[in-house]
Amino acid sequence: MNNLSGVLYIVATPIGNLKDISQRALDTLAAADLIAAEDTRHSGLLLNHYGIKKPFFALHDHNEQQKAELLVEKLRRGENIALISDAGTPLICDPGFHLVRKCRQAGLRVVPIPGACAAIAALSASGIASDRFCFEGFLPAKSKARCDKLQSLAEEERTLIFYESTHRICDALQDIENVLGPSRYMVLARELTKTWETLSADSVANLRRWLAEDSNRIKGEMVLIIEGKPASDKEEEFSPQAVRALRRIAQELPLKKAAAIVAELYGYKKNALYQFGLEHFQ
Ligand code: SAM
C-alpha cells in the first residue's frame, strides 16, 4: 500500500430521516476531495442540507465499470474520495462494487463509514429471527423468474430479506404465497424512518389480502422480512401471529379445539400447538 495514495470512504447516508447520519460521515464528506454519487442532483440536495459543498463525480450502474478506473487513478494521485448512494449504505443494491473491487486489487485503502441500511433497520424491528439471515436484494421482475428464485429458497431455514417496489408488491406476495405457502409468517416494513413508517406482520396470505384492500398500504419504499422454513428436526417454533391466535381461541374453546383451528389456519401440527399451549397457557 502506497502511503501517498488517497482513501476511498464508503459513506452511508439516511434512508429517509435526515437525522440518521453519523458525525463521522459528515466529517468525512466535508474533508473529501471528491464525492462519487449515483445521482449528483439528488445528493447535491442532501449535502446542501448539511451545508457541505464538494465537487461531484457521477458513478451509477451504467457507467461504473468504465468510470471506476478514473477514480482509481485519482486515488493513486492522493485524492480522498467519498462514495455515497441515493440512500443508505452504498453497494447494498446500489453501485460501488466494481470500484471497491478495483481499489482492493490496486492495494488502495477502502474505509467503511457505517450507517443506515433499510434491510438491517427492517430486520432489527421485525421480531423475526435475526441471528442468521439471507439478504436477496430485489426479486426478479417477471413472475416466472421470481417463482424460480423463490423455489430455490423454499427450503432455506434462515430469515429471508428482500427489497420490493410499490408496483410489484402485490404480484410478489402472490408468488411468495404460491411458492412458500400461505402460512409463511412475514413482516412488511414500509417507509422506514419516514412519516408513514409502518411495520405489518402476518402470514403472507393475510398480508396480501390486507394490502389489496387499500392502495395506500402499498405506497412507498418497502422491505420484506420472511421467516425461514422451520427446521423439521428441531422443536417447531410458531409465528407470533399463530401464538396470539392460539392464546385467544383457547380463551373461548378447549385447548385441543383451539390447537386444531390454529393448525389448519397456519399450517402447523396440531399436537405441537397443543403441547405448546399446555406448556405456556395452562
Ligand atoms: N442502499 C440502500 C440501503 O442501504 O438500504 C438500498 C438501496 S435500493 C436501490 C432501494 C430499496 O431499498 C427500496 O426500493 C426499498 O426496497 C429499500 N428501502 C430504501 N429505503 C427504505 C425505507 N426508508 N423504507 C423501506 N425500504 C427502503
Side-chain angles (χ1 to χ4, degrees):
M1 206 171 291
N2 174 358
N3 282 342
L4 299 175
S5 298
V7 176
L8 175 67
Y9 295 95
I10 310 299
V11 182
T13 58
I15 55 168
N17 188 323
L18 293 175
K19 291 181 182 162
D20 289 334
I21 190 157
S22 72
Q23 189 57 55
R24 192 165 165 238
L26 293 174
D27 294 346
T28 303
L29 292 169
D33 297 305
L34 183 70
I35 296 182
E38 224 185 325
D39 176 340
T40 54
R41 204 184 59 87
H42 173 95
S43 294
L45 296 174
L46 182 82
L47 294 196
N48 210 20
H49 175 85
Y50 302 116
I52 297 170
K53 207 164 163 46
K54 287 282 158 178
F56 274 118
F57 185 100
L59 188 82
H60 41 76
D61 279 334
H62 306 297
N63 73 0
E64 186 186 342
Q65 299 236 37
Q66 169 204 352
K67 297 282 177 177
E69 206 53 62
L70 275 173
L71 290 174
V72 166
E73 267 319 303
K74 287 176 183 293
L75 287 160
R76 280 205 180 103
R77 289 202 299 268
E79 287 187 47
N80 289 317
I81 300 177
L83 173 70
I84 60 176
S85 63
D86 284 355
T89 302
L91 280 87
I92 307 301
C93 286
D94 272 337
F97 168 73
H98 297 290
L99 173 61
V100 172
R101 185 84 169 187
K102 276 195 193 320
C103 287
R104 292 250 156 251
Q105 285 164 346
L108 292 161
R109 225 177 128 209
V110 181
V111 173
I113 309 290
C117 173
I120 300 299
L123 179 66
S124 70
S126 69
I128 293 182
S130 53
D131 51 346
R132 295 164 70 232
F133 58 88
C134 304
F135 174 65
E136 287 286 334
F138 287 94
L139 278 164
K142 298 227 167 81
S143 183
K144 164 82 174 74
R146 190 160 55 222
C147 289
D148 289 349
K149 177 80 198 170
L150 289 165
Q151 195 59 57
S152 74
L153 294 165
E155 298 300 314
E156 180 56 67
E157 289 171 10
R158 290 172 291 178
T159 296
L160 301 170
I161 307 181
F162 299 103
Y163 284 162
E164 196 43 273
S165 74
T166 181
H167 54 279
R168 278 205 291 266
I169 182 65
C170 293
D171 292 343
L173 285 184
Q174 183 63 70
D175 288 343
I176 294 168
E177 179 176 339
N178 292 345
V179 178
L180 303 184
S183 59
R184 191 67 82 93
Y185 181 69
M186 63 171 289
V187 169
L188 179 101
R190 199 168 61 87
E191 292 289 87
L192 291 166
T193 79
K194 306 185 207 174
T195 311
W196 303 109
E197 175 181 280
T198 43
L199 282 98
S200 314
D202 210 327
S203 66
V204 55
N206 286 347
L207 253 177
R208 185 186 56 73
R209 280 192 288 268
W210 181 77
L211 290 180
E213 285 166 11
D214 181 352
S215 62
N216 283 319
R217 294 176 185 160
I218 57 166
K219 282 192 183 143
E221 299 191 283
M222 50 192 84
V223 183
L224 312 182
I225 310 282
I226 305 180
E227 198 155 65
K229 188 179 178 194
S232 47
D233 56 349
K234 76 169 196 234
E235 197 185 314
E236 201 155 19
E237 275 190 19
F238 306 113
S239 68
Q241 203 74 20
V243 172
R244 273 215 305 277
L246 183 64
R247 191 183 292 277
R248 181 68 192 88
I249 299 171
Q251 287 166 356
E252 311 290 332
L253 296 173
L255 182 59
K256 261 216 163 93
K257 187 82 194 139
I261 294 171
V262 174
E264 193 185 318
L265 284 175
Y266 291 89
Y268 294 115
K269 293 193 193 94
K270 67 175 180 236
N271 281 346
L273 282 164
Y274 178 63
Q275 276 309 320
F276 181 91
L278 285 180
E279 282 159 30
H280 293 84
F281 312 157
Q282 308 269 304

